[in-house]
mmCIF file of all heavy atoms in Angstrom:
data_model
loop_
_atom_site.group_PDB
_atom_site.id
_atom_site.type_symbol
_atom_site.label_atom_id
_atom_site.label_comp_id
_atom_site.label_asym_id
_atom_site.label_seq_id
_atom_site.Cartn_x
_atom_site.Cartn_y
_atom_site.Cartn_z
ATOM 1 N N MET A 1352 106.624 19.362 167.504
ATOM 2 C CA MET A 1352 105.676 18.261 167.940
ATOM 3 C C MET A 1352 106.466 17.262 168.606
ATOM 4 O O MET A 1352 107.508 16.822 168.137
ATOM 5 C CB MET A 1352 104.845 17.697 166.774
ATOM 6 C CG MET A 1352 103.990 16.577 167.119
ATOM 7 S SD MET A 1352 103.173 15.897 165.709
ATOM 8 C CE MET A 1352 102.163 17.340 165.105
ATOM 9 N N SER A 1353 106.102 16.815 169.825
ATOM 10 C CA SER A 1353 106.792 15.801 170.635
ATOM 11 C C SER A 1353 106.761 14.493 169.986
ATOM 12 O O SER A 1353 105.897 14.115 169.093
ATOM 13 C CB SER A 1353 106.250 15.763 171.986
ATOM 14 O OG SER A 1353 104.834 15.218 171.994
ATOM 15 N N ASN A 1354 107.707 13.579 170.318
ATOM 16 C CA ASN A 1354 107.725 12.245 169.840
ATOM 17 C C ASN A 1354 106.399 11.536 170.114
ATOM 18 O O ASN A 1354 105.883 10.717 169.291
ATOM 19 C CB ASN A 1354 108.843 11.540 170.429
ATOM 20 C CG ASN A 1354 110.168 11.915 169.777
ATOM 21 O OD1 ASN A 1354 110.261 12.465 168.722
ATOM 22 N ND2 ASN A 1354 111.254 11.714 170.501
ATOM 23 N N LEU A 1355 105.817 11.758 171.342
ATOM 24 C CA LEU A 1355 104.613 11.072 171.770
ATOM 25 C C LEU A 1355 103.489 11.548 170.813
ATOM 26 O O LEU A 1355 102.643 10.655 170.404
ATOM 27 C CB LEU A 1355 104.296 11.513 173.198
ATOM 28 C CG LEU A 1355 102.917 10.968 173.752
ATOM 29 C CD1 LEU A 1355 102.932 9.379 173.713
ATOM 30 C CD2 LEU A 1355 102.793 11.367 175.255
ATOM 31 N N CYS A 1356 103.336 12.817 170.580
ATOM 32 C CA CYS A 1356 102.277 13.322 169.617
ATOM 33 C C CYS A 1356 102.462 12.628 168.280
ATOM 34 O O CYS A 1356 101.474 12.352 167.561
ATOM 35 C CB CYS A 1356 102.305 14.743 169.505
ATOM 36 S SG CYS A 1356 101.806 15.676 171.002
ATOM 37 N N ARG A 1357 103.746 12.565 167.754
ATOM 38 C CA ARG A 1357 103.989 11.964 166.513
ATOM 39 C C ARG A 1357 103.481 10.618 166.497
ATOM 40 O O ARG A 1357 102.802 10.118 165.491
ATOM 41 C CB ARG A 1357 105.380 12.040 166.040
ATOM 42 C CG ARG A 1357 105.882 13.411 165.726
ATOM 43 C CD ARG A 1357 107.205 13.420 165.060
ATOM 44 N NE ARG A 1357 107.853 14.721 164.912
ATOM 45 C CZ ARG A 1357 108.550 15.357 165.884
ATOM 46 N NH1 ARG A 1357 108.947 14.767 166.934
ATOM 47 N NH2 ARG A 1357 109.023 16.599 165.515
ATOM 48 N N GLN A 1358 103.743 9.808 167.547
ATOM 49 C CA GLN A 1358 103.410 8.431 167.550
ATOM 50 C C GLN A 1358 101.918 8.281 167.658
ATOM 51 O O GLN A 1358 101.301 7.386 166.918
ATOM 52 C CB GLN A 1358 104.021 7.770 168.833
ATOM 53 C CG GLN A 1358 105.527 7.628 168.662
ATOM 54 C CD GLN A 1358 106.152 7.106 170.071
ATOM 55 O OE1 GLN A 1358 105.409 7.014 171.000
ATOM 56 N NE2 GLN A 1358 107.468 6.949 170.073
ATOM 57 N N LEU A 1359 101.244 9.136 168.371
ATOM 58 C CA LEU A 1359 99.713 9.119 168.427
ATOM 59 C C LEU A 1359 99.149 9.400 167.107
ATOM 60 O O LEU A 1359 98.181 8.821 166.668
ATOM 61 C CB LEU A 1359 99.253 10.064 169.626
ATOM 62 C CG LEU A 1359 99.501 9.716 170.981
ATOM 63 C CD1 LEU A 1359 99.117 10.797 171.968
ATOM 64 C CD2 LEU A 1359 98.677 8.437 171.390
ATOM 65 N N CYS A 1360 99.671 10.374 166.394
ATOM 66 C CA CYS A 1360 99.063 10.760 165.041
ATOM 67 C C CYS A 1360 99.371 9.542 164.091
ATOM 68 O O CYS A 1360 98.451 9.224 163.262
ATOM 69 C CB CYS A 1360 99.887 11.985 164.494
ATOM 70 S SG CYS A 1360 99.430 13.509 165.346
ATOM 71 N N THR A 1361 100.513 8.872 164.169
ATOM 72 C CA THR A 1361 100.698 7.708 163.325
ATOM 73 C C THR A 1361 99.819 6.578 163.500
ATOM 74 O O THR A 1361 99.200 6.028 162.613
ATOM 75 C CB THR A 1361 102.148 7.292 163.583
ATOM 76 O OG1 THR A 1361 103.073 8.321 163.194
ATOM 77 C CG2 THR A 1361 102.407 6.025 162.564
ATOM 78 N N VAL A 1362 99.522 6.391 164.793
ATOM 79 C CA VAL A 1362 98.554 5.361 165.180
ATOM 80 C C VAL A 1362 97.130 5.683 164.740
ATOM 81 O O VAL A 1362 96.426 4.783 164.099
ATOM 82 C CB VAL A 1362 98.537 5.093 166.674
ATOM 83 C CG1 VAL A 1362 97.411 4.196 167.117
ATOM 84 C CG2 VAL A 1362 99.906 4.530 167.186
ATOM 85 N N LEU A 1363 96.728 6.886 164.936
ATOM 86 C CA LEU A 1363 95.424 7.363 164.575
ATOM 87 C C LEU A 1363 95.261 7.273 162.927
ATOM 88 O O LEU A 1363 94.264 6.786 162.435
ATOM 89 C CB LEU A 1363 95.165 8.748 164.934
ATOM 90 C CG LEU A 1363 94.878 8.894 166.446
ATOM 91 C CD1 LEU A 1363 94.790 10.370 166.889
ATOM 92 C CD2 LEU A 1363 93.560 8.239 166.956
ATOM 93 N N PHE A 1364 96.285 7.676 162.280
ATOM 94 C CA PHE A 1364 96.232 7.580 160.776
ATOM 95 C C PHE A 1364 96.127 6.086 160.345
ATOM 96 O O PHE A 1364 95.337 5.767 159.491
ATOM 97 C CB PHE A 1364 97.535 8.176 160.234
ATOM 98 C CG PHE A 1364 97.548 8.114 158.733
ATOM 99 C CD1 PHE A 1364 96.750 8.997 158.016
ATOM 100 C CD2 PHE A 1364 98.284 7.143 158.014
ATOM 101 C CE1 PHE A 1364 96.834 8.962 156.537
ATOM 102 C CE2 PHE A 1364 98.274 7.083 156.656
ATOM 103 C CZ PHE A 1364 97.577 7.943 155.920
ATOM 104 N N ALA A 1365 96.817 5.219 160.979
ATOM 105 C CA ALA A 1365 96.731 3.825 160.598
ATOM 106 C C ALA A 1365 95.360 3.253 160.825
ATOM 107 O O ALA A 1365 94.792 2.456 160.074
ATOM 108 C CB ALA A 1365 97.735 2.940 161.345
ATOM 109 N N ILE A 1366 94.714 3.724 161.965
ATOM 110 C CA ILE A 1366 93.424 3.161 162.325
ATOM 111 C C ILE A 1366 92.496 3.728 161.209
ATOM 112 O O ILE A 1366 91.564 3.019 160.758
ATOM 113 C CB ILE A 1366 92.929 3.682 163.626
ATOM 114 C CG1 ILE A 1366 93.757 2.881 164.744
ATOM 115 C CG2 ILE A 1366 91.448 3.490 163.896
ATOM 116 C CD1 ILE A 1366 93.503 3.529 166.126
ATOM 117 N N VAL A 1367 92.511 5.002 160.837
ATOM 118 C CA VAL A 1367 91.615 5.504 159.788
ATOM 119 C C VAL A 1367 91.775 4.844 158.426
ATOM 120 O O VAL A 1367 90.722 4.464 157.857
ATOM 121 C CB VAL A 1367 92.045 7.037 159.653
ATOM 122 C CG1 VAL A 1367 91.177 7.516 158.318
ATOM 123 C CG2 VAL A 1367 91.571 7.827 160.804
ATOM 124 N N VAL A 1368 92.976 4.470 158.105
ATOM 125 C CA VAL A 1368 93.183 3.688 156.897
ATOM 126 C C VAL A 1368 92.479 2.365 156.902
ATOM 127 O O VAL A 1368 91.805 1.892 156.004
ATOM 128 C CB VAL A 1368 94.730 3.590 156.609
ATOM 129 C CG1 VAL A 1368 94.881 2.567 155.485
ATOM 130 C CG2 VAL A 1368 95.359 4.900 156.240
ATOM 131 N N VAL A 1369 92.729 1.647 158.025
ATOM 132 C CA VAL A 1369 92.076 0.398 158.248
ATOM 133 C C VAL A 1369 90.643 0.383 158.117
ATOM 134 O O VAL A 1369 89.956 -0.344 157.372
ATOM 135 C CB VAL A 1369 92.493 -0.347 159.529
ATOM 136 C CG1 VAL A 1369 91.703 -1.557 159.821
ATOM 137 C CG2 VAL A 1369 93.993 -0.689 159.486
ATOM 138 N N VAL A 1370 90.028 1.434 158.864
ATOM 139 C CA VAL A 1370 88.590 1.563 158.802
ATOM 140 C C VAL A 1370 88.053 1.861 157.343
ATOM 141 O O VAL A 1370 87.138 1.277 156.916
ATOM 142 C CB VAL A 1370 88.117 2.616 159.790
ATOM 143 C CG1 VAL A 1370 86.681 2.993 159.531
ATOM 144 C CG2 VAL A 1370 88.355 2.280 161.207
ATOM 145 N N PHE A 1371 88.818 2.707 156.618
ATOM 146 C CA PHE A 1371 88.398 3.191 155.391
ATOM 147 C C PHE A 1371 88.499 1.868 154.360
ATOM 148 O O PHE A 1371 87.538 1.635 153.640
ATOM 149 C CB PHE A 1371 89.321 4.057 154.808
ATOM 150 C CG PHE A 1371 89.041 4.570 153.359
ATOM 151 C CD1 PHE A 1371 88.023 5.411 153.026
ATOM 152 C CD2 PHE A 1371 89.813 4.007 152.307
ATOM 153 C CE1 PHE A 1371 87.696 5.700 151.670
ATOM 154 C CE2 PHE A 1371 89.566 4.347 151.002
ATOM 155 C CZ PHE A 1371 88.516 5.187 150.774
ATOM 156 N N GLN A 1372 89.623 1.130 154.507
ATOM 157 C CA GLN A 1372 89.662 -0.042 153.676
ATOM 158 C C GLN A 1372 88.590 -1.116 153.972
ATOM 159 O O GLN A 1372 87.967 -1.698 153.015
ATOM 160 C CB GLN A 1372 91.114 -0.712 153.846
ATOM 161 C CG GLN A 1372 92.196 0.140 153.320
ATOM 162 C CD GLN A 1372 93.565 -0.476 153.590
ATOM 163 O OE1 GLN A 1372 93.729 -1.264 154.505
ATOM 164 N NE2 GLN A 1372 94.564 -0.106 152.825
ATOM 165 N N THR A 1373 88.292 -1.279 155.285
ATOM 166 C CA THR A 1373 87.251 -2.283 155.647
ATOM 167 C C THR A 1373 85.904 -1.846 155.157
ATOM 168 O O THR A 1373 85.075 -2.624 154.592
ATOM 169 C CB THR A 1373 87.179 -2.388 157.175
ATOM 170 O OG1 THR A 1373 88.469 -2.798 157.669
ATOM 171 C CG2 THR A 1373 86.085 -3.446 157.610
ATOM 172 N N SER A 1374 85.655 -0.423 155.257
ATOM 173 C CA SER A 1374 84.335 0.066 154.710
ATOM 174 C C SER A 1374 84.319 -0.138 153.230
ATOM 175 O O SER A 1374 83.181 -0.484 152.761
ATOM 176 C CB SER A 1374 84.279 1.555 155.067
ATOM 177 O OG SER A 1374 83.137 2.120 154.511
ATOM 178 N N ALA A 1375 85.329 0.062 152.402
ATOM 179 C CA ALA A 1375 85.324 -0.065 151.065
ATOM 180 C C ALA A 1375 85.065 -1.421 150.664
ATOM 181 O O ALA A 1375 84.289 -1.764 149.829
ATOM 182 C CB ALA A 1375 86.624 0.369 150.468
ATOM 183 N N GLN A 1376 85.672 -2.445 151.394
ATOM 184 C CA GLN A 1376 85.460 -3.899 151.005
ATOM 185 C C GLN A 1376 83.965 -4.178 151.399
ATOM 186 O O GLN A 1376 83.279 -4.939 150.637
ATOM 187 C CB GLN A 1376 86.377 -4.754 151.841
ATOM 188 C CG GLN A 1376 87.778 -4.538 151.524
ATOM 189 C CD GLN A 1376 88.792 -5.377 152.418
ATOM 190 O OE1 GLN A 1376 88.355 -5.840 153.407
ATOM 191 N NE2 GLN A 1376 90.037 -5.428 152.103
ATOM 192 N N THR A 1377 83.459 -3.679 152.552
ATOM 193 C CA THR A 1377 82.149 -3.980 152.916
ATOM 194 C C THR A 1377 81.073 -3.501 151.906
ATOM 195 O O THR A 1377 80.160 -4.063 151.527
ATOM 196 C CB THR A 1377 81.810 -3.300 154.279
ATOM 197 O OG1 THR A 1377 82.660 -3.935 155.290
ATOM 198 C CG2 THR A 1377 80.414 -3.668 154.731
ATOM 199 N N ASN A 1378 81.435 -2.181 151.357
ATOM 200 C CA ASN A 1378 80.494 -1.561 150.395
ATOM 201 C C ASN A 1378 80.532 -2.452 149.063
ATOM 202 O O ASN A 1378 79.529 -2.556 148.404
ATOM 203 C CB ASN A 1378 80.879 -0.122 150.112
ATOM 204 C CG ASN A 1378 80.628 0.727 151.273
ATOM 205 O OD1 ASN A 1378 79.729 0.489 152.050
ATOM 206 N ND2 ASN A 1378 81.263 1.872 151.394
ATOM 207 N N THR A 1379 81.671 -3.041 148.814
ATOM 208 C CA THR A 1379 81.773 -3.819 147.587
ATOM 209 C C THR A 1379 81.065 -5.161 147.641
ATOM 210 O O THR A 1379 80.385 -5.568 146.719
ATOM 211 C CB THR A 1379 83.340 -4.119 147.203
ATOM 212 O OG1 THR A 1379 83.919 -2.888 147.069
ATOM 213 C CG2 THR A 1379 83.355 -4.832 146.000
ATOM 214 N N LEU A 1380 81.135 -5.753 148.822
ATOM 215 C CA LEU A 1380 80.588 -7.119 148.960
ATOM 216 C C LEU A 1380 79.382 -7.169 149.869
ATOM 217 O O LEU A 1380 78.864 -8.205 150.173
ATOM 218 C CB LEU A 1380 81.719 -8.011 149.604
ATOM 219 C CG LEU A 1380 83.039 -8.124 148.862
ATOM 220 C CD1 LEU A 1380 83.974 -8.926 149.708
ATOM 221 C CD2 LEU A 1380 82.780 -8.796 147.495
ATOM 222 N N ALA A 1381 78.849 -5.948 150.141
ATOM 223 C CA ALA A 1381 77.728 -5.963 151.111
ATOM 224 C C ALA A 1381 76.518 -6.665 150.613
ATOM 225 O O ALA A 1381 76.170 -6.475 149.447
ATOM 226 C CB ALA A 1381 77.369 -4.504 151.427
ATOM 227 N N PRO A 1382 75.818 -7.423 151.386
ATOM 228 C CA PRO A 1382 74.626 -8.036 151.009
ATOM 229 C C PRO A 1382 73.559 -6.957 150.905
ATOM 230 O O PRO A 1382 73.678 -5.837 151.300
ATOM 231 C CB PRO A 1382 74.167 -8.984 152.118
ATOM 232 C CG PRO A 1382 74.950 -8.460 153.278
ATOM 233 C CD PRO A 1382 76.217 -7.860 152.792
ATOM 234 N N ILE A 1383 72.408 -7.271 150.275
ATOM 235 C CA ILE A 1383 71.257 -6.342 150.067
ATOM 236 C C ILE A 1383 70.804 -5.778 151.382
ATOM 237 O O ILE A 1383 70.524 -4.594 151.526
ATOM 238 C CB ILE A 1383 70.217 -6.919 149.318
ATOM 239 C CG1 ILE A 1383 70.630 -7.310 147.897
ATOM 240 C CG2 ILE A 1383 69.065 -6.056 149.288
ATOM 241 C CD1 ILE A 1383 69.695 -8.171 147.048
ATOM 242 N N SER A 1384 70.691 -6.526 152.332
ATOM 243 C CA SER A 1384 70.164 -6.184 153.662
ATOM 244 C C SER A 1384 70.899 -6.803 154.805
ATOM 245 O O SER A 1384 70.981 -8.008 154.835
ATOM 246 C CB SER A 1384 68.671 -6.510 153.706
ATOM 247 O OG SER A 1384 68.215 -6.244 155.002
ATOM 248 N N GLN A 1385 71.320 -6.048 155.676
ATOM 249 C CA GLN A 1385 72.046 -6.661 156.851
ATOM 250 C C GLN A 1385 71.066 -6.859 157.945
ATOM 251 O O GLN A 1385 71.343 -7.514 158.964
ATOM 252 C CB GLN A 1385 73.124 -5.729 157.360
ATOM 253 C CG GLN A 1385 74.235 -5.501 156.306
ATOM 254 C CD GLN A 1385 75.261 -6.707 156.269
ATOM 255 O OE1 GLN A 1385 74.993 -7.636 156.954
ATOM 256 N NE2 GLN A 1385 76.220 -6.555 155.418
ATOM 257 N N SER A 1386 69.803 -6.439 157.766
ATOM 258 C CA SER A 1386 68.801 -6.597 158.871
ATOM 259 C C SER A 1386 67.828 -7.658 158.461
ATOM 260 O O SER A 1386 67.603 -7.961 157.276
ATOM 261 C CB SER A 1386 68.065 -5.257 159.092
ATOM 262 O OG SER A 1386 67.404 -4.851 157.821
ATOM 263 N N PRO A 1387 67.196 -8.318 159.418
ATOM 264 C CA PRO A 1387 66.258 -9.343 159.148
ATOM 265 C C PRO A 1387 65.071 -8.788 158.275
ATOM 266 O O PRO A 1387 64.662 -7.759 158.409
ATOM 267 C CB PRO A 1387 65.789 -9.786 160.525
ATOM 268 C CG PRO A 1387 66.842 -9.316 161.540
ATOM 269 C CD PRO A 1387 67.367 -8.003 160.886
ATOM 270 N N VAL A 1388 64.782 -9.747 157.213
ATOM 271 C CA VAL A 1388 63.647 -9.389 156.365
ATOM 272 C C VAL A 1388 62.388 -10.054 156.951
ATOM 273 O O VAL A 1388 61.683 -10.822 156.195
ATOM 274 C CB VAL A 1388 63.981 -9.887 154.909
ATOM 275 C CG1 VAL A 1388 63.061 -9.275 154.038
ATOM 276 C CG2 VAL A 1388 65.317 -9.463 154.526
ATOM 277 N N THR A 1389 62.111 -9.915 158.248
ATOM 278 C CA THR A 1389 60.971 -10.551 158.767
ATOM 279 C C THR A 1389 59.794 -9.664 158.558
ATOM 280 O O THR A 1389 58.652 -10.043 158.531
ATOM 281 C CB THR A 1389 61.128 -10.560 160.325
ATOM 282 O OG1 THR A 1389 61.169 -9.272 160.677
ATOM 283 C CG2 THR A 1389 62.295 -11.373 160.657
ATOM 284 N N GLN A 1390 60.120 -8.443 158.408
ATOM 285 C CA GLN A 1390 59.148 -7.340 158.254
ATOM 286 C C GLN A 1390 58.106 -7.654 157.297
ATOM 287 O O GLN A 1390 58.431 -8.071 156.238
ATOM 288 C CB GLN A 1390 60.024 -6.111 157.959
ATOM 289 C CG GLN A 1390 61.341 -5.828 158.766
ATOM 290 C CD GLN A 1390 62.290 -6.902 158.988
ATOM 291 O OE1 GLN A 1390 61.945 -7.957 159.378
ATOM 292 N NE2 GLN A 1390 63.639 -6.550 159.086
ATOM 293 N N SER A 1391 56.992 -7.316 157.722
ATOM 294 C CA SER A 1391 55.784 -7.617 156.893
ATOM 295 C C SER A 1391 55.728 -6.789 155.745
ATOM 296 O O SER A 1391 54.696 -6.539 155.175
ATOM 297 C CB SER A 1391 54.617 -7.299 157.825
ATOM 298 O OG SER A 1391 54.764 -5.958 158.276
ATOM 299 N N SER A 1392 56.934 -6.411 155.118
ATOM 300 C CA SER A 1392 56.895 -5.656 153.869
ATOM 301 C C SER A 1392 57.080 -6.577 152.723
ATOM 302 O O SER A 1392 58.123 -7.110 152.565
ATOM 303 C CB SER A 1392 58.062 -4.593 154.007
ATOM 304 O OG SER A 1392 58.236 -4.060 152.736
ATOM 305 N N GLN A 1393 56.021 -6.728 151.897
ATOM 306 C CA GLN A 1393 56.140 -7.468 150.728
ATOM 307 C C GLN A 1393 57.110 -6.725 149.798
ATOM 308 O O GLN A 1393 57.852 -7.350 149.003
ATOM 309 C CB GLN A 1393 54.772 -7.585 150.013
ATOM 310 C CG GLN A 1393 53.985 -8.578 150.795
ATOM 311 C CD GLN A 1393 52.601 -8.846 149.962
ATOM 312 O OE1 GLN A 1393 52.139 -7.917 149.237
ATOM 313 N NE2 GLN A 1393 52.141 -9.953 149.970
ATOM 314 N N ALA A 1394 57.221 -5.447 149.869
ATOM 315 C CA ALA A 1394 58.188 -4.700 149.003
ATOM 316 C C ALA A 1394 59.531 -5.044 149.107
ATOM 317 O O ALA A 1394 60.362 -5.177 148.273
ATOM 318 C CB ALA A 1394 57.934 -3.161 149.227
ATOM 319 N N SER A 1395 59.951 -5.330 150.447
ATOM 320 C CA SER A 1395 61.435 -5.630 150.782
ATOM 321 C C SER A 1395 61.695 -7.121 150.120
ATOM 322 O O SER A 1395 62.802 -7.218 149.693
ATOM 323 C CB SER A 1395 61.574 -5.712 152.212
ATOM 324 O OG SER A 1395 60.869 -6.759 152.897
ATOM 325 N N VAL A 1396 60.694 -7.951 150.098
ATOM 326 C CA VAL A 1396 60.964 -9.320 149.527
ATOM 327 C C VAL A 1396 61.034 -9.132 147.992
ATOM 328 O O VAL A 1396 61.877 -9.695 147.380
ATOM 329 C CB VAL A 1396 59.810 -10.282 149.990
ATOM 330 C CG1 VAL A 1396 60.052 -11.654 149.263
ATOM 331 C CG2 VAL A 1396 59.821 -10.470 151.525
ATOM 332 N N LEU A 1397 60.105 -8.376 147.403
ATOM 333 C CA LEU A 1397 60.121 -8.200 146.020
ATOM 334 C C LEU A 1397 61.380 -7.552 145.516
ATOM 335 O O LEU A 1397 61.937 -7.873 144.426
ATOM 336 C CB LEU A 1397 58.757 -7.418 145.648
ATOM 337 C CG LEU A 1397 58.549 -7.243 144.164
ATOM 338 C CD1 LEU A 1397 58.504 -8.667 143.461
ATOM 339 C CD2 LEU A 1397 57.315 -6.401 143.884
ATOM 340 N N LYS A 1398 61.954 -6.622 146.251
ATOM 341 C CA LYS A 1398 63.166 -5.865 145.926
ATOM 342 C C LYS A 1398 64.241 -6.877 145.829
ATOM 343 O O LYS A 1398 65.022 -6.849 144.770
ATOM 344 C CB LYS A 1398 63.488 -4.810 146.941
ATOM 345 C CG LYS A 1398 64.775 -4.036 146.583
ATOM 346 C CD LYS A 1398 65.059 -3.049 147.652
ATOM 347 C CE LYS A 1398 66.437 -2.283 147.336
ATOM 348 N NZ LYS A 1398 66.776 -1.267 148.429
#
């Protein structure tokens, strides 16, 4: 494997790790709804 390929793989792996960590944090702290609760659904408010 060339040095360029190794460098690209290293960068891609780092990006995947960051995305995974960010996703985990988001799932832990995520609010109930990221979308506006304008919707005429009483069920969404009651939930």
Side-chain angles (χ1 to χ4, degrees):
M1352 182 182 292
S1353 67
N1354 288 336
L1355 178 59
C1356 289
R1357 290 192 185 95
Q1358 290 173 357
L1359 288 173
C1360 289
T1361 300
V1362 170
L1363 288 171
F1364 178 77
I1366 292 173
V1367 169
V1368 169
V1369 170
V1370 170
F1371 176 80
Q1372 289 176 340
T1373 302
S1374 175
Q1376 292 173 353
T1377 301
N1378 289 336
T1379 301
L1380 301 175
I1383 292 170
S1384 173
Q1385 297 284 2
S1386 61
V1388 192
T1389 65
Q1390 310 44 320
S1391 51
S1392 166
Q1393 289 186 325
S1395 67
V1396 178
L1397 187 58
K1398 179 182 178 182

